[in-house]
Each structure stands twice: as C-alpha cells, then as structure tokens.
C-alpha cells in the first residue's frame, strides 16, 4: 500500500524583547540560574502580570509578515498543568482569540503552507538533570520569556518540506528582528505532527506528535523514522495511536512519551489577571511600518534593480547579517555587481561555516577595496589578497596595499616611452590599424599592459593608445 505523508507543525519562537512578557525581568538567554526572576514570573501569591507592549508588537509584526489577519480583539487564557519547570502551575497562553490567524508561507517546492494561527504565550523554566547524583535542578530564568507559537495546517508533505518550513520561518523572524532563531539555544523549536493516509485519499490519518525538535537534522530523521514506523503499523492492519512521542537523537528512533492530551485536560479558562488586547488600525499600521524588506523582497530588488543573477541574490539573502552587510556596502559604493562579485567569492566562503555571524571589518573598508580594484589602484588579485589579510590580521585596506607594495603607481613618463617605442617597432601594424584593422588595438593593449605592470592601469594605457593611434 502507498501512503501520503501529512505533516503539521507547531513552532515555538522566543521573542528577542529585552524584558519578559509579564514582568520587567531580563529576557536574555542564559545567566546564572535563577537570577532573572521576580515574584511575578515565579508565580508568588498576589503578584500581578502586566503585558509587555513590545512582545505584542513583535507578535503582530510576524503575523503581518506571514499574511495573517490580526484579531482586533484578542484575549489570554490560562492553561493549567503541573510540572516543576512551571512554578505558577499554569501558563498564560491564548486559546480561542489568538493575536493572528489565517496566514501562509510558500515553500520552494511550490507547496503553500497555511498558517492557522500565531499566538503569544510565556515560556516555561528549564530543568537541569544531574544523572550522576540523581538530582534535578530548576532554573526559572526562562519562565515568562515571550514566545509566539506558529501553528500550521497539515499542509506539509515531506520531511524536507518540514525542515525548509522551519528554517524559512527562522530566517523571516530574524529579518523581522523579533527572534534570533538559534535552534541550538532553543530560541526556536518545533513540535512535529505526522500521519499517513492512503495515497490520494482526502481523509487524514491518526497522527503522532514529536515534541521539541531542536535541530533541522533531527526533524528530518525523526519524520523519516515515523513514516517507516507508521507504514509498518498500517501495512499490518494496525492503528496508529494518537500520542506524543520523543525522538532519541542517538538511536534515531522515536518512542511513546504519553497519550495525546486534549484541550480539556488543561482546564483552560480566560486569564483573569491580564487585560484583553484591542488594536486600532493605527497600532496595526505602526507594526506594519516596522517590517523591513524580507528575503524574497530583497531578492527581487537585487535582481531587478541591481541586476544580480537570481542565484547570487538568493545566496546573499540566505543570512540577514550577510544581506545587511551587502546593503551597507552598496549604500557607500553603488557598483552593485562589482561589490557582489568580490563579496560572493571572497567573503561568503570565509563566513559560510562560522557561527559568530560577524564579518571582522566594516562595510566601508570593504567598499574601499572594491573601489580600489575597480579603479585599478591595485590589481584584482591583490585586492583579493587584501581581503584575505583583513580577515586574518585586520587592518585598513589602503595601509595593507601600501605595506605590501600593491599600489599601482601611475608613471606617465613610462607610459609614453613604452608605447611610443612599441609603435615605432611595429609601424607595420600601425599602418594596418589606420587602414581599418581594428583588432590590432587589442594586440597593442596586451603588449603595453604586460610591459607596464605596476606603472599604469589598463585605463591609462587605453587612453594613451587611443590618443596616439587616432592622433
Ligand atoms: P491539538 O490542539 O490537539 O494540538 P490542533 O488541531 O491544534 O491539535 O493541531 C495541532 C497540529 O497538528 C497542527 O499543526 C495541525 O496541522 C497538525 N495536525 C492535525 N491533524 C493532523 C494529522 N492528521 N496529521 C498531521 N498533522 C496534523
Ligand atoms: Mg498542540
Ligand atoms: Zn520576573
């Protein structure tokens, strides 16, 4: 029997606000355990939450970028459950009136993934298990860090599509400046719902939910394992349990964690301590104004205005800091293609696998190198060497060029002497040229460029040759 794979994702993204969502504690990642806490985020009796405006604005900025409708009236709900990382024993979340509904995001396969909702909620703390001593410790620094949960419709058709969706969401959130999308720090994580249905059938099958996947690789491996496991069950006439499973990275397998909970289990009720949110059109327009050019819009601009190739434009926009650096450079020196060429060959390959997201020199210095190469202040190969030195040792481009003898010193005396001689020696060719043999010019250019290395730029040579030949 052949099956279609059906996947729906619930992506949690931590918002990069300075403070938490219901108190003024720092929302920074890390820190000494239990130093970013207060009576509100640890749920002390009588403490009252106050909503963080920035978190709300970030959430609707994301919603608008993904084409969502923004609910003009939105409310919080209390989701009750007990777990030691949740000192209040409930999470403030949103159930039936989330901030954003009905968005979508298209994948490179052409699949349009509908986004059912984006709601705002608070994160839980973190348990640190010390298996050696058999102890567990609770760190509440992360309690109440703002999260958005992005819930898709079950529109995703393969493990690769799921991974692309998660990484695309992360990239867009980074461009929007609302989340740093570092999977390894858990600032973006995904629950993956997987089911199979007979090929072509309309009716969805029973699904398993894989919790808290925190790398692209595990998302792909877990889904592939799940497809295999469910195929076997269905082929043998069995029924897939609706359950929550966990993926074991080392084994590459999933195992049952618990049977699927449903909304009733959480005894949701309207959160009495947090006011409902209403938006005016002006609030929404303000959030819209804070949306920068998104990756696909930057690609469009690079291709149509800057005349880069589609491929080059895509590569540059794959990381926000890369694309920002390119934009900064061309703002200083608007030779779009020349900047892109040196950028792609000399910068991209050096920063490709670094995690720091940092280019160790300024856009101004990089613009200077491109300009020096364009104006033949240095030759193109030496320009590349300058960039290498800027990466490895730092320094200012002009200083590096001088220190290494890269500067082409134009010597007008030498130009006229060399070319006059050359033309005298090859008077026959000069004759040919004047009789209409245009390609002789190229021969003279080649000879003179070689003979005048370090003393003239091709531009100087060309100008002088034209002057004397056309006389
Ligand atoms: P719950 O509230 O029980 O978690 P939802 O209806 O909110 O269920 O769906 C949660 C996620 O599961 C959504 O991303 C949705 O697309 C996905 N999903 C629902 N049904 C299926 C299915 N049969 N197969 C795969 N994913 C599914
Ligand atoms: Mg769910
Ligand atoms: Zn606090």
């Amino acid at each position: 029997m052949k099956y279609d794979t059906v996947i729906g994702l619930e992506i949690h993204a931590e918002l990069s606000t300075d403070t938490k969502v219901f108190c003024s504690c720092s929302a920074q990642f890390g820190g000494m355990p239990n130093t970013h806490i207060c009576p509100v985020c640890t749920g002390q009796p009588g403490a009252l939450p106050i909503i963080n405006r920035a978190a709300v604005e970030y959430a609707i900025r994301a919603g608008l970028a993904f084409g969502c409708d923004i609910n003009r009236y939105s409310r919080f709900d209390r989701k009750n459950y007990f777990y030691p990382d949740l000192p209040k024993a409930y999470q403030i979340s949103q159930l039936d009136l989330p901030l954003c509904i009905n968005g979508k995001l298209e994948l490179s396969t052409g699949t349009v993934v509908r986004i059912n909702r984006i709601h705002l909620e608070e994160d839980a703390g973190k348990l640190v298990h010390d298996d050696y001593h058999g102890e567990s410790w609770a760190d509440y620094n992360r309690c109440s860090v703002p999260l958005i949960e992005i819930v898709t419709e079950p529109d995703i058709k393969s493990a690769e599509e799921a991974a692309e969706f998660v990484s695309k969401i992360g990239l867009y959130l980074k461009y929007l400046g609302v989340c740093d999308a570092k999977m390894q720090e858990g600032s973006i994580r995904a629950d993956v719902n997987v089911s199979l249905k007979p090929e072509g059938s309309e009716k969805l099958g029973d699904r398993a939910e894989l919790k808290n996947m925190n790398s692209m690789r595990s998302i792909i491996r877990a889904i592939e394992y799940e497809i295999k496991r469910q195929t076997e069950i269905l082929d043998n006439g069995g029924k897939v349990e609706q359950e929550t499973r966990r993926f074991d990275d080392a084994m590459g397998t999933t195992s049952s964690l618990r049977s699927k909970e449903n909304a009733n289990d959480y005894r949701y009720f309207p959160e009495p301590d947090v006011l409902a949110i209403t938006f005016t059109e002006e609030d929404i327009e303000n959030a819209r104004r804070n949306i920068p050019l998104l990756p696909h819009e930057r690609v469009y601009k690079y291709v149509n205005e800057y005349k880069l190739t589609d491929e080059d434009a895509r590569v540059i926009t794959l990381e926000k800091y890369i694309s920002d650096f390119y934009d900064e450079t061309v703002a200083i020196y608007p030779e779009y293609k020349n900047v892109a060429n040196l950028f792609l060959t000399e910068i991209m390959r050096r920063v490709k696998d670094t995690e720091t997201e940092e280019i160790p020199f300024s856009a101004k210095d990089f613009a200077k190198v491109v300009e020096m190469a364009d104006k033949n202040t240095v030759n193109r190969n030496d320009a590349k060497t300058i960039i290498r030195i800027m990466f490895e040792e730092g320094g200012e481009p002009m200083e590096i060029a001088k220190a290494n003898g890269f500067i082409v010193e134009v010597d007008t005396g030498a130009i006229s002497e060399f070319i006059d001689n050359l033309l005298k020696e090859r008077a026959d060719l000069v004759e040919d040229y004047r009789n209409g043999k245009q390609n002789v010019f190229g021969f003279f250019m080649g000879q003179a460029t070689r003979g005048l290395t370090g003393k003239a730029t091709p531009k100087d040579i060309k100008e002088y040759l034209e002057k004397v030949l056309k006389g």
Side-chain angles (χ1 to χ4, degrees):
M1 184 84 160
K2 285 210 157 181
Y3 304 100
D4 291 333
T5 303
V6 176
I7 299 167
L9 298 175
E10 296 159 279
I11 297 178
H12 287 94
E14 275 180 358
L15 299 179
S16 45
T17 51
D18 296 333
T19 56
K20 294 184 177 181
V21 58
F22 297 119
C23 62
S24 52
C25 290
S26 163
Q28 277 283 310
F29 174 78
M32 281 291 285
N34 299 314
T35 53
H36 303 167
I37 58 172
C38 75
V40 177
C41 54
T42 55
Q44 306 301 309
L48 285 176
I50 294 171
I51 186 107
N52 178 343
R53 262 177 175 274
V56 175
E57 197 266 318
Y58 281 19
I60 64 171
R61 198 189 296 174
L64 291 168
F66 298 124
C68 292
D69 299 324
I70 309 301
N71 275 326
R72 297 300 190 263
Y73 176 83
S74 180
R75 200 185 61 199
F76 289 88
D77 297 283
R78 202 175 268 198
K79 180 180 181 179
N80 298 280
Y81 68 98
F82 173 78
Y83 199 66
D85 65 3
L86 190 73
K88 290 208 292 276
Y90 60 83
Q91 177 193 30
I92 303 178
S93 180
Q94 298 194 286
L95 185 61
D96 41 35
L97 286 168
L99 290 172
C100 320
I101 52 173
N102 298 337
K104 62 178 193 304
L105 184 65
E106 188 175 342
L107 302 177
S108 63
T109 51
T111 300
V112 175
V113 180
R114 289 166 301 158
I115 293 171
N116 170 285
R117 58 192 281 142
I118 301 179
H119 69 248
L120 181 61
E121 61 186 25
E122 56 182 339
D123 210 345
K126 207 156 63 182
L127 294 185
V128 183
H129 303 288
D130 176 348
D131 290 336
Y132 184 74
H133 294 99
E135 289 169 344
S136 289
W137 300 81
D139 176 4
Y140 294 143
N141 283 353
R142 204 177 64 182
C143 275
S144 270
V145 166
L147 282 184
I148 48 174
E149 180 172 341
I150 301 171
V151 183
T152 79
E153 298 295 346
D155 291 339
I156 297 165
K157 302 191 197 86
S158 68
E160 291 71 30
E161 280 194 354
E164 185 190 342
F165 186 85
V166 176
S167 74
K168 204 161 179 185
I169 288 277
L171 181 67
Y172 274 59
L173 295 178
K174 264 172 141 176
Y175 268 80
L176 291 166
V178 304
C179 171
D180 60 20
K182 291 186 182 153
M183 270 205 141
Q184 70 280 13
E185 288 183 4
S187 63
I188 184 160
R189 30 192 209 266
D191 297 346
V192 182
N193 297 273
V194 189
S195 68
L196 299 180
K197 61 182 175 56
E199 195 177 28
S201 145
E202 289 292 316
K203 198 173 163 293
L204 294 185
D206 292 321
R207 71 181 139 135
E209 179 182 36
L210 311 169
K211 273 289 183 201
N212 277 328
M213 310 297 301
N214 55 12
S215 79
M216 291 303 159
R217 213 173 98 81
S218 14
I219 290 177
I220 293 180
R221 291 172 67 215
I223 294 173
E224 280 170 352
Y225 178 83
E226 224 9 67
I227 293 172
K228 227 172 59 200
R229 186 185 73 88
Q230 293 185 17
T231 302
E232 259 163 46
I233 295 175
L234 296 174
D235 278 349
N236 291 323
K239 186 178 169 327
V240 173
E241 291 296 325
Q242 294 261 30
E243 63 186 357
T244 300
R245 299 178 70 85
R246 96 177 239 292
F247 177 63
D248 184 323
D249 248 314
M251 303 284 290
T253 59
T254 65
S255 56
S256 178
L257 206 57
R258 56 176 184 261
S259 66
K260 176 94 187 91
E261 70 286 348
N262 56 44
N264 287 340
D265 297 327
Y266 291 117
R267 300 181 180 284
Y268 274 102
F269 62 85
E271 167 60 52
D273 289 343
V274 179
L275 292 176
I277 299 178
T278 53
F279 291 112
T280 62
E281 297 311 307
E282 200 191 337
D283 295 329
I284 291 172
E285 276 324 299
N286 280 339
R288 208 185 286 282
R289 263 197 294 279
N290 285 331
I291 299 179
L293 281 190
L294 295 169
H296 64 280
E297 295 165 321
R298 289 205 198 186
V299 168
Y300 185 84
K301 178 169 140 192
Y302 292 171
V303 171
N304 290 287
E305 280 178 41
Y306 296 178
K307 308 295 176 205
L308 305 192
T309 65
D310 203 61
E311 166 72 13
D312 289 352
R314 267 171 218 290
V315 172
I316 293 174
T317 49
L318 233 39
E319 285 283 356
K320 179 173 188 288
Y321 79 102
I322 295 280
S323 174
D324 286 347
F325 192 91
Y326 175 78
D327 283 351
E328 255 185 84
T329 312
V330 295
I332 298 166
Y333 182 63
E335 287 295 332
Y336 308 115
K337 281 190 90 114
N338 298 349
V339 171
N341 287 342
L342 273 183
F343 191 79
L344 286 159
T345 53
E346 300 310 304
I347 295 192
M348 288 300 281
R349 71 185 162 93
R350 292 199 169 87
V351 295
K352 214 175 73 205
D353 298 318
T354 58
E355 256 176 34
T356 50
E357 305 209 342
E358 216 175 69
I359 295 168
F361 44 82
S362 66
K364 188 164 150 274
D365 280 351
F366 181 59
K368 182 83 207 158
V369 183
V370 186
E371 190 181 358
M372 284 160 70
D374 285 352
K375 301 213 162 123
N376 293 301
T377 314
V378 298
N379 73 40
R380 206 147 276 273
N381 271 332
D382 291 341
K384 292 181 179 177
T385 309
I386 294 174
I387 297 171
R388 179 175 59 74
I389 294 172
M390 283 160 67
F391 263 106
E392 289 169 3
E393 298 157 31
E396 199 274 328
M398 203 55 170
E399 301 293 316
I400 298 172
K402 281 184 191 151
N404 291 278
F406 292 158
I407 303 282
V408 177
E409 302 272 6
V410 179
D411 179 344
T412 28
I415 298 174
S416 51
E417 192 188 322
F418 185 87
I419 293 179
D420 291 350
N421 265 331
L422 180 66
L423 298 191
K424 214 176 290 166
E425 273 168 32
R426 302 302 314 259
D428 54 327
L429 289 180
V430 175
E431 195 60 31
D432 287 351
Y433 180 80
R434 295 200 169 126
N435 289 328
K437 267 188 124 182
Q438 296 290 321
N439 54 356
V440 168
F441 194 86
F443 168 78
F444 285 136
M445 265 309 285
Q447 292 289 311
T449 310
R450 236 161 292 148
L452 288 162
T453 313
K455 295 186 187 135
T457 69
K459 189 164 158 279
D460 302 317
I461 296 172
K462 185 159 175 277
E463 275 170 15
Y464 188 79
L465 260 177
E466 276 173 349
K467 202 174 79 190
V468 289
L469 279 175
K470 291 175 179 161

